[in-house]
Amino acid sequence: MTITAESPISALRGVGPKKAAAFEKLGVNTVGDLVTLFPRRYEDRTRFTPIALAMPGDTVCIRAMVAAPPRLNRIRRGMELVKLRAVDDTGAVEITYFNQTYRKDSLHQGETYIFYGKVGVVGQRKTLTNPVAEREDRAGSPGSVTGRIMPIYPLSAGLTQRVMLDAVRAALDLCGDDLPNALPEEILNQHGLAQAGFAYENIHFPADLGALELARRRLIFEELFVLSCAMGRMRGERSRTGGLKMAPQKVQEFFSALPFTPTGAQERAVLSAADDMCSGALMNRLIQGDVGSGKTMIAAACVWYVWKNGYQCAFMAPTEILAEQHEKTLKGFLEPLGLRVGRLVGSMTAKQKREVNELLQAGLLDVVVGTHALIQDSVHFQKLGLVITDEQHRFGVGQRSALTEKGDHPHTLVMSATPIPRTLALMIYGDLDVSVIDELPPGRQPIETYVVDERYRERLNAFMERLIAEGRQVFVVCPMVEENEELPEGLKSAEEHARTIQSALPSRRVACVHGRMKAKDKEAVMAAFAAGETDILVATTVIEVGVDVPNAALMIVENAERFGLSQLHQLRGRIGRGKFQSYCILVSDSETPEAKARLRVMKETSDGFKIAEADLRQRGPGDFFGSRQHGLPEMHVADLCDDMNVLEEARDAAQALLQRDPNLDEPGNRRLKAQCDRLFEINAGRLN
Ligand code: ADP
Ligand code: MG
């Protein structure tokens, strides 16, 4: 049987069922998959360092001769050392291998080898421990591990770099020209990009650093180009789909009925949405604003606008408690103007739901706020004109479109508080028009943030006590712990910590909410806190999503070093929503400079974008994407921090191509089209 790119990975020589399972853990199922499993990093083993210049701490290649026969030492049972001395013209190095007894016979006195490893020092002597070793004449030849730039692959248990090297080599040879390649020939030429064969060969086995760079550039460009094309096509489809054409209204009429003056950013967002809805095309707009920037009022303005045009709105929130809050807020804004606001959530009785449905169908409600109960088949609108969803990443495209199908091409407005660095926004929002709310309503008291350690515990308790005596409420946040996961030393579990606090403050009402509780119980605890029935809410990050408790003026985050910066920012947004001075106290005993630097960012800025950028810089995009909060497909090679230039070039190229061939029907673009479709299949529900 011939092995092809489609063959299972176990078809490769030396890959038994165990190794095949280990490959599958890395997402490698077929021989072809292996070709796109890119090295995590590279080690430059092409340059040799004279021993005299090899500094302790450096990882280097040394070309040296074994000066005396290697000696075997048994220190104790199960621990054998092979020791040897190697020399070059400039000096000597002591080499030790632990439990690699075969080295005694594989390294010969008088022969010269390339050793690769990290230089150590014992007394005056330079040392290498367990270095890679290869006979001088083997270095740089096919299959060698020195004398060239070595790829270092991600591994899973059961795999070694050696196994990976052999498997990737075999996969590349078997695939031949059958490589993933979505770039049309003309794009390659126009942008000076390498051919696929060259790119895949050199991303794995770089001939030199220049070749590696060319390979990387080609693959990054391809990845970003395909993503841009896919996004661009979606956008194109939308602009060809007609939307309800609304008649212009004087939004000033709505603004003047508000209890406050809208900020410039709010006004601009409302006007843009109004323009969209009057354009005749379908609106698909994202309102992106930091917590507390006043997105709800923008939504209310749009509801009003649509109502003036004789249409209804659906407003979907991720939880019942949020739905309830939005209902209350919308009623405040809209009922005085004559709109009728209703609510539909899962916990309502069948009778209550039926009533809301009847009102909706008869056109007697102008807006219904709800959870995904809204997408049930039994829900019908008389004239649905606009669908609003809050907290974007909680809903998939599927859920959103199930709702829009209840109308005749209603417009869409999405609200998100996830701040996204500009670098990423370019990619993610390919299909959305974005309004950024970069201005907070006036008169906010900035939250005071402090970073403290365990020694402050007594004072913290006293501070809680004092604020509660003043009538305020307190959030205490503990790190989320996966089910069944052992609690690492020193980490506070929410339940246990709640008991500790209760015994420290016996007269205060302490409640606890965490992810393992049933949704209904969670909501009940949160609702009690929102209603002021408890003083202290000890919680895991389940409180992250926009619950509004203006009376909460203190947030204490335990083991703060365990949280991502963006997450801390979202959490902190739960306080400072009322007229009281609010405080955020990050408790951490971590001594590492990284943790300290991270927490300092929180103390120094409250700007969600700056924090997201710092987060991206400190954690790297891998992690940033890893959290999967941003609806982004996983990127293989593109490090968006560094690759801004390629990103822009690829996006412009994609736009130009789509202008000429919007549907990618030209024969030269067939593979590109297939690749775009695949991207959406893989990421169904994640892209907007
Ligand atoms: P978010 O963007 O987090 O959803 P909200 O819509 O909940 O923010 O608004 C936060 C608070 O700010 C609310 O109490 C709201 O009434 C108030 N608010 C919104 N816009 C303004 C404004 N222009 N001036 C004063 N207060 C405002
Ligand atoms: Mg909100």
Side-chain angles (χ1 to χ4, degrees):
M1 202 187 79
T2 49
I3 305 174
T4 66
E6 277 82 47
S7 303
I9 191 72
S10 56
L12 288 180
R13 211 155 47 104
V15 179
K18 262 208 186 114
K19 286 203 179 97
F23 274 114
E24 275 161 29
K25 279 217 183 77
L26 294 171
V28 175
N29 298 306
T30 65
V31 171
D33 290 344
L34 198 50
V35 172
T36 57
L37 181 77
F38 298 127
R40 246 181 327 119
R41 60 189 176 85
Y42 300 86
E43 288 176 359
D44 184 354
R45 304 183 185 174
T46 56
R47 271 174 310 197
F48 302 139
T49 307
I51 293 174
L53 296 182
M55 291 301 139
D58 289 353
T59 302
V60 295
C61 268
I62 287 170
R63 182 196 282 125
M65 190 183 74
V66 176
R71 305 175 308 275
L72 180 66
N73 294 342
R74 287 207 174 80
I75 2 186
R76 56 183 157 82
R77 260 170 77 93
M79 174 68 86
E80 292 183 330
L81 302 186
V82 173
K83 284 186 161 278
L84 59 109
R85 213 163 85 90
V87 297
D88 68 5
D89 294 345
T90 68
V93 60
E94 301 291 331
I95 296 174
T96 309
Y97 287 100
F98 287 94
N99 288 342
Q100 298 186 18
T101 311
Y102 67 93
R103 300 280 190 185
K104 180 177 170 301
D105 301 315
S106 68
L107 297 168
H108 304 285
Q109 181 185 20
E111 284 200 31
T112 299
Y113 298 85
I114 310 298
F115 296 100
Y116 176 81
K118 191 168 168 183
V119 182
V121 67
V122 175
Q124 296 292 312
R125 295 189 187 155
K126 288 184 181 164
T127 63
L128 286 174
T129 305
N130 294 341
V132 170
E134 195 160 58
R135 253 191 21 225
E136 182 186 25
D137 57 346
R138 288 266 302 125
S141 62
S144 67
V145 292
T146 66
R148 59 192 184 98
I149 296 166
M150 285 297 294
I152 307 294
Y153 290 95
L155 295 178
S156 60
L159 294 178
T160 62
Q161 292 297 340
R162 183 80 246 173
V163 172
M164 291 302 277
L165 281 177
D166 292 344
V168 171
R169 181 70 266 162
L172 277 174
D173 293 343
L174 285 166
C175 287
D177 285 335
D178 187 10
L179 291 164
N181 172 20
L183 289 180
E185 205 58 32
E186 63 167 277
I187 298 283
L188 286 185
N189 296 335
Q190 279 165 10
H191 297 269
L193 298 166
Q195 294 289 341
F198 178 93
Y200 281 97
E201 179 64 31
N202 282 282
I203 199 80
H204 289 291
F205 303 110
D208 53 47
L209 290 175
L212 174 59
E213 199 37 52
L214 284 175
R216 253 176 59 83
R217 189 176 127 76
R218 140 89 201 207
L219 293 169
I220 291 169
F221 190 100
E222 179 166 355
E223 183 161 55
L224 297 173
F225 180 80
V226 171
L227 184 57
S228 296
C229 279
M231 291 292 199
R233 275 179 72 207
M234 237 186 352
R235 193 190 195 92
E237 239 159 64
R238 175 161 60 79
S239 68
R240 283 190 297 278
T241 318
L244 292 170
K245 193 167 161 63
M246 306 255 166
Q249 307 295 326
K250 290 198 175 58
V251 286
Q252 212 49 51
E253 202 180 306
F254 173 82
F255 289 154
S256 54
L258 288 172
F260 47 69
T261 317
T263 63
Q266 283 172 321
E267 199 169 328
R268 279 193 298 279
V270 174
L271 291 176
S272 305
D275 277 353
D276 291 349
M277 291 192 284
C278 295
S279 73
L282 208 52
M283 171 169 82
N284 199 20
R285 181 167 290 275
L286 172 77
I287 306 291
Q288 195 198 20
D290 219 337
V291 280
S293 59
K295 296 184 290 294
T296 323
M297 174 235 127
I298 298 168
C302 292
V303 172
W304 174 85
Y305 203 91
V306 168
W307 168 74
K308 285 290 263 187
N309 273 278
Y311 285 92
Q312 295 168 296
C313 295
F315 190 145
M316 189 158 65
T319 65
E320 294 205 359
I321 182 162
L322 274 174
E324 198 175 319
Q325 280 190 351
H326 282 319
E327 181 202 24
K328 229 190 282 171
T329 315
L330 288 189
K331 277 188 167 155
F333 288 136
L334 297 172
E335 276 185 351
L337 294 167
L339 282 82
R340 295 152 301 180
V341 182
R343 177 165 55 107
L344 187 68
V345 296
S347 68
M348 287 167 41
T349 64
K351 182 159 167 281
Q352 287 171 318
K353 286 183 197 162
R354 208 166 44 241
E355 274 170 18
V356 174
N357 270 328
E358 280 165 12
L359 291 174
L360 271 178
Q361 208 161 355
L364 295 171
L365 281 178
D366 301 305
V367 52
V368 62
V369 185
T371 53
H372 31 255
L374 288 176
I375 60 185
Q376 279 164 1
D377 287 341
S378 53
V379 181
H380 298 283
F381 292 81
Q382 191 189 53
K383 273 176 94 179
L384 180 61
L386 170 67
V387 167
I388 304 173
T389 54
D390 191 12
E391 304 297 346
Q392 161 213 20
H393 61 270
R394 305 252 158 178
F395 295 109
V397 175
Q399 286 173 310
R400 224 175 294 145
S401 62
L403 196 46
T404 51
E405 270 155 29
K406 293 181 184 295
D408 182 16
H409 297 103
H411 298 290
T412 301
L413 191 71
V414 176
M415 300 196 292
S416 169
T418 313
I420 293 172
R422 220 159 296 288
T423 343
L424 301 187
L426 260 178
M427 299 251 66
I428 308 170
Y429 300 139
D431 185 48
L432 289 168
D433 295 308
V434 186
S435 294
V436 177
I437 313 301
D438 49 6
E439 191 180 349
L440 287 184
R444 285 285 158 79
Q445 293 209 47
I447 299 168
E448 288 182 26
T449 299
Y450 300 94
V451 183
V452 305
D453 58 31
E454 256 333 296
R455 289 171 304 174
Y456 285 73
R457 186 59 65 190
E458 290 282 304
R459 269 181 273 177
L460 266 181
N461 288 341
F463 190 51
M464 271 199 272
E465 183 66 50
R466 196 187 98 202
L467 283 183
I468 296 169
E470 286 173 13
R472 302 290 78 74
Q473 288 166 282
V474 180
F475 282 116
V476 179
V477 185
C478 298
M480 183 100 83
V481 174
E482 296 290 320
E483 196 137 7
N484 303 326
E485 189 193 331
E486 286 261 331
L487 211 56
E489 183 95 30
L491 211 61
K492 301 214 161 22
S493 96
E495 276 173 317
E496 207 185 300
H497 194 50
R499 283 193 291 274
T500 314
I501 292 178
Q502 184 68 81
S503 53
L505 307 176
S507 67
R508 299 307 180 188
R509 298 162 299 177
V510 181
C512 178
V513 60
H514 55 79
R516 286 182 221 170
M517 290 163 63
K518 287 207 198 81
K520 252 181 101 178
D521 298 337
K522 265 191 280 199
E523 297 229 348
V525 176
M526 305 263 250
F529 186 70
E533 289 157 19
T534 43
D535 302 308
I536 302 173
L537 182 63
V538 184
T540 53
T541 46
V542 291
I543 61 162
E544 218 178 305
V545 178
V547 192
D548 205 7
V549 187
N551 195 42
L554 170 61
M555 170 172 290
I556 298 175
V557 183
E558 302 288 347
N559 301 104
E561 74 283 352
R562 300 266 301 194
F563 296 84
L565 286 184
S566 297
Q567 206 178 14
L568 286 174
H569 178 69
Q570 291 291 312
L571 285 168
R572 186 167 60 179
R574 300 298 110 227
I575 56 170
R577 304 194 137 226
K579 50 188 180 296
F580 314 106
Q581 173 60 54
S582 295
Y583 307 88
C584 174
I585 303 188
L586 306 173
V587 187
S588 172
D589 271 344
S590 175
E591 292 291 334
T592 68
E594 294 82 33
K596 288 189 163 169
R598 275 156 41 85
L599 296 180
R600 205 171 325 121
V601 172
M602 293 305 297
K603 185 173 160 52
E604 282 163 8
T605 181
S606 57
D607 181 329
F609 284 92
K610 281 200 188 127
I611 289 174
E613 257 156 22
D615 208 13
L616 186 63
R617 259 199 317 279
Q618 290 175 352
R619 290 198 292 161
D623 257 28
F624 205 82
F625 293 133
S627 70
R628 286 294 167 79
Q629 281 197 5
H630 305 280
L632 255 185
E634 202 168 359
M635 304 299 278
H636 274 110
V637 274
D639 176 333
L640 293 175
C641 247
D642 295 345
D643 294 325
M644 255 323 265
N645 293 334
V646 188
L647 169 55
E648 277 167 13
E649 195 180 332
R651 190 200 44 184
D652 292 349
Q655 273 169 4
L657 187 77
L658 285 175
Q659 198 128 59
R660 202 189 63 208
D661 184 13
N663 222 1
L664 300 179
D665 289 330
E666 289 175 16
N669 297 334
R670 256 205 343 260
R671 276 193 317 240
L672 174 61
K673 183 172 183 165
Q675 195 59 29
C676 288
D677 292 343
R678 214 174 87 96
L679 190 65
F680 281 104
E681 260 165 49
I682 299 169
N683 293 288
R686 257 197 279 142
L687 295 170
N688 286 294

